[in-house]
């Protein structure tokens, strides 16, 4: 039987749909954001019965066959690469509705559910990535339906769960005079004082345009490579990315022979995307595994505990808020008078978490982690 190119693209797209529980693939390491919120509760989606599965397949095929071939190729590129390849916007009518059983979905929501998040319930759970041409724009007729131009929005729970609280004893700095040791756990704003002077001076005297943050990569207690100064609005930090420019951790020479470090390095994959946006700095987890973040602006300003937030694959979190950071700079607050001139610090660990509920109490025990220092001047 003669098969058209369009039919072939549609079949490949259906085979690349996001797995649901019961597919045998839902729990694999490569699942990108299959469910859950950022405080550790996961939402599993049971595999639909044969009837609804057949209905969803028929509906998806029907919609995809109405899309232009070039648009199908764009969608396939994004889906098969899991967002690793740069793909343009997929502009489609926003007012087309599709119905599965008793549920009615807009065309963008249906594609997001089929190809990324089967448990997605409402568009309010989503955040458009800044790489999308539709970012910050409102077009009532056309909307970008590229599933990898979106992320799930990380909602913080209140009050935080007990496992993420730190006893105050853990926040005291270790007794050590070694300048090559990891930053103290009590104050995370001493990073630059631990680096050779040439690093921090180079950032200020290089003649380049002003950086809005600098990034340091650590393996346990050892910093690997030099500080990475960031001037562009968005930065990809990754180990291996099909089409990526930015901070490639895979190119850094590491003397660490630990099997755990090597294993976690390999799992960083697409890593994270760090983006400076009008309301703050967002971190998007592009990898296949959770990341863990600690930031002063994610906490209640009146709280004396520090929280570590778990961010699942496919989720975004506002890791730094400039307005909140300004309100935290209290002249009589010893915690914030210890910070260097460059501003506040956020810590991000790949794959392995730290804190009271983990075997690792401090981030310096995590195999692979980042320190991001924001320039608030």
């Amino acid at each position: 039987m003669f098969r058209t190119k369009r039919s072939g693209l549609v079949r490949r797209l259906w085979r690349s749909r996001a797995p649901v529980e019961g597919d045998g693939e839902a729990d694999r390491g490569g699942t990108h954001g299959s469910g859950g919120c950022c405080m550790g509760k996961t939402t599993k989606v049971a595999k639909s019965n044969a009837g609804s599965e057949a209905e969803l397949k028929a509906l998806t095929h029907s919609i995809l066959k109405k899309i232009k071939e070039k648009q199908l190729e764009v969608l396939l590129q994004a889906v098969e690469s899991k967002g690793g390849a740069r793909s343009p916007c997929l502009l489609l009518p926003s007012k087309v509705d599709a119905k599965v059983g008793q549920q009615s979905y807009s065309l963008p929501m249906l594609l997001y559910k089929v190809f990324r998040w089967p448990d997605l319930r409402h568009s309010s759970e989503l955040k458009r990535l800044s790489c999308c041409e539709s970012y910050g724009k409102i077009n009532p007729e056309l909307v970008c339906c590229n599933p990898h131009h979106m992320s799930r929005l990380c909602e913080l729970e209140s009050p935080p769960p007990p496992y993420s609280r730190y006893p105050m004893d853990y926040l005291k700095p270790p007794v050590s005079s070694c300048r090559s040791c990891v930053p103290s756990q009590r104050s995370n704003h001493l990073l630059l004082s631990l680096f050779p002077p040439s690093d921090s001076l180079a950032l200020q005297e290089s003649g380049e345009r002003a950086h809005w943050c600098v990034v340091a990569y650590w393996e346990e207690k050892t910093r690997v490579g030099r500080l990475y100064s960031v001037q562009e609005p968005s930065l990809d930090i990754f180990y291996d990315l099909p089409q990526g420019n930015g901070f490639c951790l895979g190119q850094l020479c590491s003397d660490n022979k630990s099997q755990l470090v090597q294993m976690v390095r390999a799992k960083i994959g697409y890593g994270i995307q760090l983006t400076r946006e009008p309301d703050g700095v967002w971190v998007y987890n592009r990898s296949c595994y959770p990341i863990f973040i600690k930031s002063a602006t994610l906490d209640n300003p009146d709280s004396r505990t520090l929280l570590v937030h778990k961010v699942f694959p496919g989720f975004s979190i506002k890791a730094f808020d400039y307005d909140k950071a300004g309100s935290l700079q209290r002249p009589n607050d010893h915690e914030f008078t210890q910070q260097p001139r460059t501003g506040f610090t956020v810590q991000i660990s790949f794959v392995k978490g730290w804190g009271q509920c983990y075997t690792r109490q401090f981030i310096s025990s995590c195999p692979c982690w980042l320190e991001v220092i924001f320039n608030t001047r």
Side-chain angles (χ1 to χ4, degrees):
M1 180 184 291
F2 178 74
R3 293 179 178 177
T4 65
K5 179 180 179 181
R6 181 190 301 274
S7 297
L9 291 171
V10 170
R11 287 195 302 274
R12 284 176 63 185
L13 279 165
W14 179 251
R15 288 196 298 267
S16 301
R17 71 191 186 279
V20 295
E21 186 180 4
D23 277 346
E25 302 180 16
D27 296 326
R28 67 185 178 179
T31 300
H32 283 243
S34 58
C37 70
C38 293
M39 298 307 291
K41 293 181 181 179
T42 57
T43 304
K44 291 188 177 180
V45 180
K47 185 176 182 180
S48 54
N49 59 48
S52 59
E53 177 76 2
E55 184 181 3
L56 178 63
K57 180 178 180 179
L59 176 63
T60 305
H61 277 62
S62 173
I63 289 175
L64 292 178
K65 286 180 180 178
K66 296 177 182 177
I67 298 176
K68 297 177 181 178
E69 282 189 10
K70 288 187 177 180
Q71 292 178 315
L72 288 176
E73 291 173 350
V74 167
L75 180 59
L76 185 64
Q77 179 189 33
V79 170
E80 288 190 336
S81 70
K82 292 182 168 58
R86 295 191 187 94
S87 53
C89 288
L90 180 64
L91 296 176
L92 297 173
S94 60
K95 295 182 180 180
V96 175
D97 289 333
K99 194 170 185 179
V100 181
Q102 300 300 316
Q103 295 291 325
S104 181
Y105 303 102
S106 66
L107 178 56
M109 279 290 290
L110 179 67
L111 295 182
Y112 300 153
K113 284 177 67 67
V114 169
F115 294 110
R116 287 208 75 180
W117 303 290
D119 66 319
L120 186 64
R121 296 179 297 274
H122 195 271
S123 59
S124 61
E125 301 174 34
L126 297 173
K127 179 187 183 301
R128 190 170 298 280
L129 298 174
S130 61
C131 64
C132 181
E133 293 178 7
S134 300
Y135 177 79
K137 300 177 182 178
I138 299 177
N139 187 334
E141 302 299 327
L142 298 175
V143 64
C144 178
C145 297
N146 188 327
H148 289 276
H149 283 193
M150 304 295 291
S151 67
R152 292 288 287 273
L153 186 61
C154 190
E155 297 284 350
L156 303 182
E157 294 182 353
S158 180
Y163 76 79
S164 62
R165 292 189 178 276
Y166 279 80
M168 290 306 294
D169 288 346
Y170 288 144
L171 307 183
K172 296 178 181 178
V175 179
S176 173
S177 59
C178 175
R179 288 178 58 85
S180 62
C181 293
V182 69
S184 90
Q185 301 304 315
R186 179 182 177 279
S187 174
N188 299 314
H189 313 301
L190 305 179
L191 181 71
L192 291 185
S193 65
L194 303 175
F195 292 155
S198 58
D199 274 353
S200 55
L201 288 175
L203 295 174
Q204 301 174 26
E205 298 176 357
S206 61
E208 298 179 354
R209 55 178 170 165
H211 63 277
W212 60 270
C213 78
V214 290
V215 181
Y217 170 62
W218 295 76
E219 291 176 356
E220 297 172 330
K221 294 181 174 65
T222 303
R223 182 167 66 90
V224 180
R226 295 178 63 84
L227 288 173
Y228 191 99
S229 179
V230 185
Q231 290 89 29
E232 298 298 327
S234 182
L235 171 69
D236 288 324
I237 304 174
F238 56 92
Y239 183 80
D240 183 24
L241 188 63
Q243 296 179 14
N245 294 315
F247 192 4
C248 180
L249 305 180
Q251 293 183 349
L252 298 180
C253 295
S254 170
D255 297 328
N256 197 315
K257 305 300 181 183
S258 164
Q259 289 186 349
L260 181 60
V261 169
Q262 298 304 319
M263 179 191 73
V264 172
R265 274 172 62 96
K267 288 183 176 181
I268 292 172
Y270 295 177
I272 64 172
Q273 188 174 83
L274 198 66
T275 308
R276 184 180 183 182
E277 302 185 26
D279 62 339
V281 178
W282 287 80
V283 173
Y284 168 46
N285 184 2
R286 303 181 70 184
S287 75
C288 299
Y289 298 88
I291 60 173
F292 300 81
I293 295 182
K294 185 174 71 174
S295 168
T297 64
L298 283 173
D299 294 341
N300 186 325
D302 299 323
S303 174
R304 292 190 61 82
T305 59
L306 299 178
L307 308 179
V308 176
H309 301 274
K310 186 176 184 178
V311 182
F312 282 90
F315 279 76
S316 287
I317 187 172
K318 185 161 71 170
F320 188 72
D321 188 304
Y322 286 96
D323 292 336
K324 287 185 179 179
S327 66
L328 290 173
Q329 293 181 0
R330 297 181 289 269
N332 297 324
D333 192 329
H334 181 71
E335 174 77 14
F336 295 101
T337 56
Q338 297 301 310
Q339 61 187 314
R341 287 175 293 174
T342 49
F344 285 82
T345 300
V346 169
Q347 294 177 331
I348 304 172
S349 174
F350 294 103
V351 184
K352 301 296 183 180
W354 78 99
Q356 190 175 4
C357 240
Y358 296 88
T359 55
R360 300 168 185 82
Q361 296 301 315
F362 306 112
I363 195 171
S364 58
S365 300
C366 291
C368 304
W369 55 283
L370 302 169
E371 195 116 19
V372 184
I373 314 166
F374 297 103
N375 184 355
T376 58
R377 292 180 298 179

